[in-house]
């Protein structure tokens, strides 16, 4: 304890000073254990009112990490709310922060980075708010294990946390991490890395009230769209609890009932101090860890999303968590244990709805193991006749959720992601454009130079402007065939493919060209070309993983500057080399 106290610096800093930290990108968030940004406007405004009245607010806790950054351990929701108020994201008593109060915000306003909203809050009130002193503590030279432990201790006893949030907070175990990753992929609040700047959290925050720009609307999340969960359920982490129950049911092969205390046990937690419950929690956690290790975390993630994408494609309407769990596990069992796949979508959906009508799932907090297994068995029997033996086709690789995630994140993480409409000219001749292909090769080189063991994605078959989308639809007679995701249009490569005998022929041409170009790379690392289906659209995805050294292509070095790929001069090559040390 003495050692920890000696590393704990406690001080008072004004809101203005912490906002400077924010603008200078000093504040970071570890998404492995931090909660989602889900505060309502009412909660945010109450915080500003507390500050305005000079009432005390709880301590903010940071950990000093490398590169002069401060990792937020406690206070992320409050800090984000304060900074959003300053940046005119919401009002206080019907008025907006006067951006001319601070030199920083005035400069951002002059550059049109921030926009002043009306009516403006009185300047003296704004000054009073930004001069308010926040109590902060900073752990010096903190190890990750200490940060995890402190975060868990602070948050696990929080009265406002839901039961699922208590399970997840501060946990870096494989099961908890898998639940988090899958949940984020389905909600869409994903990030390229677990450690991100607080500045970027707004774009992946969940807007419960559907009123904030540049955030994820809770009503647009799959669970809410299908009325399986409410917006408040998302806030409380009920989507994560549902996913955790499905994963546990798959791993244990329906061995346990669905209940809150059982779910606690999977996380190695017990609601009581009873020695038998504590022992059961330890044993259950060990069981899940062994089963997950044997299955493979990444494989289970991919298998889960494959079944989820199928349910999404079929547009099945399920109005309860238990119906979703039963149908999900039934389809999963047929796909992965009996090697089946859907034959006719229409017949399959009719069979599913017929099975739902026959289900008698119990209500309440506990779903008995026998009742759950019976429900899953009924569904399997009723839908198996609408399925066929799987042919294991290589080209059939549908990844709906993953593609939408990549596109959503591409706007904020353009160093690692790039989108291209295709390899053919959008004109009357519609010829293959080798220069477009070469540009992709240069971008592969540039992404490879983001640093040691970094990953990146290039998607072919996506139009990033409405004009390109319109050209594609006009040239290939595909009007209204593009799907819009975050102002990006997934048009697919179907038009280009129509110039070839089949998708396989098109894919073979691109793959052969890529293999020839690989000889021009030095220190490429890993780069895989993968055919992917998005609903009825064909796409190509280049998956890039950098090596331990600077990459070059055709005797030149390239790098990413925002969404642009540029050739590096001598000084830039030296700078890039530093990234790999």
């Amino acid at each position: 304890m003495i050692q920890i106290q000696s590393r704990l610096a406690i001080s008072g800093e004004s809101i203005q000073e912490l906002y400077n930290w924010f603008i200078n990108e000093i504040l970071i968030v570890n998404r492995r254990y931090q909660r989602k940004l889900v505060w309502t406007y009412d909660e945010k405004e109450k915080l500003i009112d507390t500050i305005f009245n000079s009432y005390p607010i709880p301590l903010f806790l940071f950990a000093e990490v490398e590169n002069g950054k401060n990792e937020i351990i406690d206070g992320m929701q409050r800090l984000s709310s304060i900074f959003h108020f300053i940046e005119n994201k919401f009002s206080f008593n019907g008025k907006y922060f006067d951006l001319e109060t601070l030199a920083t915000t005035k400069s951002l306003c002059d550059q049109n980075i921030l926009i002043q909203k009306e009516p403006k809050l009185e300047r003296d009130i704004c000054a009073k708010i930004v001069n308010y002193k926040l109590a902060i503590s900073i752990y010096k030279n903190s190890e990750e294990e200490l940060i995890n432990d402190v975060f868990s201790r602070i948050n696990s006893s929080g009265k406002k946390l839901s039961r699922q949030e208590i399970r997840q907070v501060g946990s870096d175990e494989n099961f908890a991490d898998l639940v988090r990753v899958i949940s984020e992929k389905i909600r869409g609040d994903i990030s390229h890395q677990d450690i991100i700047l607080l500045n970027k959290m707004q774009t992946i925050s969940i807007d419960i009230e559907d009123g904030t720009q540049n955030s994820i609307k809770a009503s647009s999340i799959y669970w809410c769209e299908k009325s399986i969960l409410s917006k408040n359920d998302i806030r409380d982490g009920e989507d994560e609890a549902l996913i955790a129950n499905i994963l546990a049911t798959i791993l244990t092969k329906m061995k346990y009932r669905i209940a809150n205390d059982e779910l606690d046990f999977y996380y190695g937690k017990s609601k009581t101090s009873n020695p038998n419950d504590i022992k059961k929690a330890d044993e259950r956690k060990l069981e899940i860890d062994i089963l997950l290790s044997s299955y493979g975390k990444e494989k289970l993630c991919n298998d889960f999303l494959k079944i989820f994408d199928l349910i999404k494609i079929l547009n099945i309407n399920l109005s309860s968590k238990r119906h979703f769990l039963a149908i999900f596990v039934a389809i999963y069992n047929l796909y992965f244990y009996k090697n089946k796949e859907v034959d006719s979508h229409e017949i399959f959906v009719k069979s599913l709805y017929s099975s739902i009508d026959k289900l008698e799932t119990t209500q309440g907090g506990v779903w008995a193991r026998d009742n759950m297994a019976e429900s899953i068995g009924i569904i399997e029997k009723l839908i198996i006749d609408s399925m066929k033996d799987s042919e294991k086709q290589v080209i059939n690789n549908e990844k709906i959720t993953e593609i939408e995630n990549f596109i959503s994140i591409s706007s904020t993480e353009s160093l690692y992601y790039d989108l291209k409409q295709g390899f053919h000219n959008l004109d009357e001749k519609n010829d293959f454009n080798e220069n477009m292909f070469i540009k992709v090769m240069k971008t592969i080189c540039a992404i490879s130079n983001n640093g040691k063991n970094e990953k990146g994605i290039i998607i072919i078959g996506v139009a990033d402007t409405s004009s390109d989308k319109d050209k594609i639809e006009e040239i290939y007679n595909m009007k209204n065939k593009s799907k819009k995701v975050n102002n990006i249009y997934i048009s697919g490569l179907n038009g280009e493919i129509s110039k070839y005998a089949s998708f396989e022929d098109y894919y073979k041409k691109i793959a052969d060209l890529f293999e020839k170009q690989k000889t021009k790379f030095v220190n490429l690392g890993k780069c895989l070309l993968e055919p992917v289906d998005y609903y009825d659209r064909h796409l190509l995805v280049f998956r890039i993983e950098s090596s331990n050294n600077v990459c070059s292509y055709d005797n030149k070095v390239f790098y990413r500057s925002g969404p642009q790929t540029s050739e590096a001069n001598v000084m830039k090559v030296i700078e890039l080399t530093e990234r790999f040390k």
Side-chain angles (χ1 to χ4, degrees):
M1 178 63 73
I2 294 173
Q3 182 183 6
I4 291 177
Q5 285 181 341
S6 66
R7 294 158 57 184
L8 182 62
I10 301 176
S11 64
E13 296 286 356
S14 69
I15 287 175
Q16 179 177 353
E17 179 59 26
L18 263 68
Y19 183 69
N20 286 334
W21 289 9
F22 175 72
I23 291 299
N24 292 320
E25 301 186 343
I26 291 172
L27 299 174
I28 62 172
V29 175
N30 189 334
R31 301 202 68 213
R32 284 179 64 86
Y33 53 73
Q34 278 284 5
R35 299 160 64 194
K36 305 180 291 292
L37 278 178
V38 291
W39 270 22
T40 63
Y41 290 122
D42 185 54
E43 288 170 316
K44 294 175 183 178
E45 194 167 7
K46 282 182 178 176
L47 175 63
I48 302 302
D49 184 66
T50 299
I51 294 170
F52 168 70
N53 285 293
S54 300
Y55 296 153
I57 59 176
L59 181 101
F60 292 83
L61 190 57
F62 305 93
E64 186 181 79
V65 293
E66 60 183 12
N67 299 323
K69 306 290 187 185
N70 286 331
E71 182 176 324
I72 303 169
I73 300 179
D74 191 44
M76 180 186 69
Q77 301 270 4
R78 288 174 288 147
L79 280 176
S80 295
S81 298
I82 293 168
F83 300 154
H84 289 168
F85 168 68
I86 290 174
E87 295 189 341
N88 278 214
K89 299 288 196 317
F90 68 94
S91 63
F92 170 59
N93 290 338
K95 295 182 179 180
Y96 293 92
F97 182 84
D98 184 349
L99 295 176
E100 294 192 354
T101 305
L102 297 175
T104 305
T105 51
K106 183 181 185 304
S107 174
L108 293 172
C109 186
D110 291 341
Q111 299 172 61
N112 290 323
I113 296 173
L114 294 181
I115 305 298
Q116 178 67 61
K117 294 182 180 178
E118 301 288 344
K120 289 191 286 189
L121 190 63
E122 290 79 1
R123 184 77 60 84
D124 60 330
I125 296 177
C126 295
K128 178 180 180 182
I129 289 171
V130 296
N131 287 322
Y132 179 94
K133 290 280 188 179
L134 300 172
I136 70 168
S137 294
I138 302 178
Y139 278 102
K140 300 289 186 179
N141 305 315
S142 302
E143 296 88 8
E144 183 177 356
E145 185 179 353
L146 172 64
I147 296 173
N148 289 349
D149 186 39
V150 172
F151 183 91
S152 182
R153 288 170 184 266
I154 290 171
N155 287 277
S156 62
S157 59
K159 293 181 180 179
K160 291 186 178 181
L161 292 187
S162 69
R163 194 161 179 177
Q164 179 59 25
E165 286 176 318
I166 291 173
R167 296 181 188 114
Q168 285 284 139
V169 293
S171 178
D172 59 354
E173 299 292 339
N174 278 337
F175 182 73
D177 191 52
L178 179 59
V179 170
R180 176 185 67 84
V181 168
I182 293 176
S183 301
E184 288 173 1
K185 286 178 181 291
I186 292 175
R187 290 192 305 259
D189 58 319
I190 61 166
S191 54
H192 181 71
Q193 298 169 321
D194 287 333
I195 307 294
I196 68 170
L197 293 168
L198 180 61
N199 312 55
K200 292 187 177 182
M201 282 296 292
Q202 171 66 34
T203 59
I204 54 174
S205 65
I206 308 296
D207 182 8
I208 301 298
E209 295 168 320
D210 292 347
T212 304
Q213 291 184 341
N214 302 321
S215 62
I216 298 167
K217 306 295 184 284
S219 59
S220 69
I221 295 172
Y222 173 83
W223 306 114
C224 297
E225 277 188 338
K226 296 298 181 184
S227 301
I228 297 169
L229 297 171
S230 70
K231 291 189 284 188
N232 283 331
D233 286 335
I234 298 295
R235 174 191 172 97
D236 292 338
E238 285 300 308
D239 59 321
E240 296 174 5
L242 174 56
I243 289 167
N245 274 318
I246 293 172
L247 291 171
T249 301
I250 289 170
L251 287 169
T252 64
K253 294 183 170 61
M254 301 181 288
K255 185 176 177 181
Y256 302 106
R257 63 181 182 163
I258 302 297
N260 270 324
D261 56 348
E262 299 289 348
L263 198 50
D264 289 340
F265 293 156
Y266 298 134
Y267 285 84
K269 299 178 185 291
S270 171
K271 186 75 172 175
T272 73
S273 56
N274 184 304
N276 290 331
D277 285 344
I278 294 173
K279 180 182 178 183
K280 186 181 288 187
D282 290 340
E283 291 173 346
R284 187 71 55 80
K285 179 180 177 299
L286 179 61
E287 179 183 3
I288 285 292
D289 286 346
I290 291 171
L291 290 171
L292 182 54
S293 177
S294 176
Y295 194 114
K297 189 168 78 170
E298 186 174 351
K299 183 178 186 305
L300 183 52
C301 180
N302 292 335
D303 289 350
F304 186 103
L305 291 174
K306 181 179 180 67
I307 302 304
F308 177 80
D309 283 347
L310 174 62
I311 293 173
K312 196 172 178 181
I313 292 167
L314 297 173
N315 198 26
I316 303 165
N317 293 312
L318 304 167
S319 58
S320 81
K321 292 185 288 185
R322 290 189 179 179
H323 282 161
F324 185 89
L325 185 149
I327 285 173
F328 189 102
V329 175
I331 297 173
Y332 173 90
N333 289 343
L334 293 174
Y335 254 78
F336 295 107
Y337 294 144
K338 297 188 178 179
N339 200 37
K340 296 290 183 179
E341 65 181 13
V342 175
D343 189 2
S344 164
H345 282 196
E346 184 178 353
I347 296 173
F348 184 78
V349 170
K350 285 181 180 178
S351 301
L352 266 181
Y353 283 133
S354 173
S355 69
I356 292 172
D357 292 339
K358 291 178 171 58
L359 292 184
E360 294 183 4
T361 55
T362 57
Q363 300 301 314
V366 177
W367 194 7
R369 184 263 171 201
D370 290 344
N371 181 274
M372 175 186 65
E374 181 183 4
S375 297
I376 293 169
I378 288 172
I379 296 170
E380 288 183 26
K381 289 177 183 178
L382 290 172
I383 66 175
I384 193 169
D385 289 340
S386 64
M387 304 180 79
K388 63 180 181 180
D389 291 336
S390 176
E391 297 174 5
K392 300 289 185 184
Q393 295 178 343
V394 176
I395 299 298
N396 184 14
N397 188 18
E398 199 137 29
K399 296 187 176 180
I400 309 298
T401 302
E402 183 181 54
I403 292 298
E404 290 179 352
N405 287 165
F406 288 156
I407 287 173
S408 296
I409 200 174
S410 64
S411 61
T412 57
E413 299 286 357
S414 55
L415 288 178
Y416 306 93
Y417 296 84
D418 199 17
L419 310 173
K420 301 292 184 185
Q421 54 88 11
F423 294 120
H424 282 250
N425 292 322
L426 296 179
D427 56 21
E428 291 182 1
K429 291 184 178 180
N430 198 215
D431 293 332
F432 183 87
N433 188 324
E434 189 173 345
N435 287 333
M436 289 184 184
F437 191 83
I438 297 301
K439 283 182 180 179
V440 171
M441 298 300 103
K442 292 177 180 178
T443 299
I444 289 171
C445 175
I447 290 175
S448 298
N449 286 326
N450 281 329
K452 188 184 297 185
N453 300 322
E454 291 281 7
K455 295 181 180 180
I457 295 289
I458 302 174
I459 305 177
I460 314 296
V462 177
D464 56 5
T465 66
S466 59
S467 59
D468 278 352
K469 182 264 297 184
D470 292 341
K471 285 180 184 177
I472 292 167
E473 292 184 349
E474 180 183 353
I475 289 171
Y476 299 116
N477 194 24
M478 320 169 31
K479 193 166 180 62
N480 298 323
K481 288 290 186 180
S482 300
K483 182 172 175 60
K484 189 176 181 181
V485 177
N486 282 24
N487 297 317
I488 300 294
Y489 300 89
I490 306 177
S491 300
L493 294 166
N494 301 41
E496 289 191 3
I497 292 164
S498 65
K499 298 176 68 67
Y500 300 78
S502 65
F503 180 34
E504 286 79 0
D505 284 351
Y506 176 82
Y507 173 70
K508 185 176 185 304
K509 173 175 180 172
I510 303 303
D512 288 347
L513 284 171
F514 182 43
E515 285 302 314
K516 291 177 183 177
Q517 291 295 322
K518 279 184 178 179
T519 61
K520 297 183 179 181
F521 284 93
V522 176
N523 297 327
L524 177 58
K526 296 179 183 178
C527 186
L528 301 176
L529 173 62
E530 179 184 18
V532 173
D533 288 346
Y534 179 84
Y535 292 102
D536 58 349
R537 302 162 186 83
H538 293 304
L539 305 171
L540 292 178
V541 175
F542 288 90
R543 297 178 184 272
I544 305 149
E545 185 172 342
S546 62
S547 67
N548 294 327
N549 295 288
V550 173
C551 176
S552 66
Y553 168 72
D554 199 18
N555 297 317
K556 298 181 179 114
V557 174
F558 298 90
Y559 68 98
R560 294 286 279 176
S561 178
Q564 304 300 320
T565 292
S566 304
E567 184 180 343
N569 57 26
V570 174
M571 293 304 296
K572 189 65 181 181
V573 172
I574 294 172
E575 179 188 326
L576 294 176
T577 304
E578 291 296 315
R579 297 179 183 179
F580 292 86
K581 289 184 177 179

